[in-house]
Amino acid sequence: MRVIGGKYGGRKLVAFKASHIRPTTDRVKEVIFNKLQFSIEGADVLDLFSGTGSLAFEALSRGANRVQAVELSQSSIQIIKKNQSMLKVGDELQIARSDIYKFLKHHTDSYDIILVDPPFTKAMADEVLLALSQSQCLRKQSEVFIESGAKEPIQDAYGSLVLEKRQSFGDKFLSHYIFS
């Protein structure tokens, strides 16, 4: 697992073995960050279900202003902190140990970009998008990228959070929503 572009491009992240983590593939990261190439610089980013922090570090590597990583698993948070130390990332990365539903319900900051990679063992993308659409985390023109199982039903709109594009990657989809 590595950072694929930007100032940390090519740097390897801490290796791990955990049944609860399935990192975002380089191909999916390429698609996300190619789409964000003109909007990532200076952006405020929220990384839900952060896992190892792979997406968070990719965002920082490509010029994000700050990233809020949200993860419940203590072992995953330890991996994020090891990666943070190894890459010498400072306060621009904040880590919250929290259930994402509680986080979304009570958090009052808003973000330009929201990256969501729920556990692959649970079909929860629809529920996450609904909670996100009702949170204060979205600002006008926020972009949301969410991975979901290929057979997992998700809607094309959640209020003002509207599907821009959905792509298939084998057994999963990457959906891009924009909040208006």
Side-chain angles (χ1 to χ4, degrees), residues 41-62:
E41 186 74 34
D44 295 329
V45 178
L46 176 60
D47 181 14
L48 298 174
F49 303 101
S50 196
T52 62
S54 173
L55 292 173
F57 294 114
E58 195 72 45
L60 289 169
S61 182
R62 292 171 185 252

Side-chain angles (χ1 to χ4, degrees), residues 36-168:
L36 293 172
Q37 67 181 324
F38 301 113
S39 56
I40 191 74
E41 186 74 34
D44 295 329
V45 178
L46 176 60
D47 181 14
L48 298 174
F49 303 101
S50 196
T52 62
S54 173
L55 292 173
F57 294 114
E58 195 72 45
L60 289 169
S61 182
R62 292 171 185 252
N65 177 52
R66 69 180 174 110
V67 175
Q68 174 67 66
V70 182
E71 176 57 52
L72 185 57
S73 165
Q74 186 59 41
S75 60
S76 291
I77 289 173
Q78 290 172 345
I79 293 168
I80 295 170
K81 287 181 177 180
K82 285 179 185 176
N83 284 322
Q84 183 178 23
S85 175
M86 186 178 64
L87 294 174
K88 297 179 176 54
V89 171
D91 291 342
E92 62 270 25
L93 175 67
Q94 297 294 310
I95 304 166
R97 182 173 187 208
S98 177
D99 170 86
I100 69 105
Y101 298 109
K102 289 180 184 174
F103 181 88
L104 291 173
K105 186 174 183 177
H106 300 291
H107 196 70
T108 57
D109 287 351
S110 63
Y111 300 88
D112 301 301
I113 298 164
I114 301 173
L115 308 170
V116 190
D117 186 10
F120 66 97
T121 56
K122 299 176 182 172
M124 57 193 309
D126 182 68
E127 187 178 353
V128 171
L129 286 165
L130 180 60
L132 182 59
S133 72
Q134 297 170 350
S135 76
Q136 294 181 45
C137 292
L138 297 165
R139 55 177 73 148
K140 191 157 182 71
Q141 297 303 305
S142 287
E143 295 187 69
V144 176
F145 290 86
I146 185 166
E147 294 181 57
S148 62
K151 296 181 180 181
E152 186 176 347
I154 58 175
Q155 299 174 39
D156 290 348
Y158 295 84
S160 296
L161 187 60
V162 178
L163 181 68
E164 177 76 12
K165 185 175 184 178
R166 183 170 291 131
Q167 291 179 257
S168 175

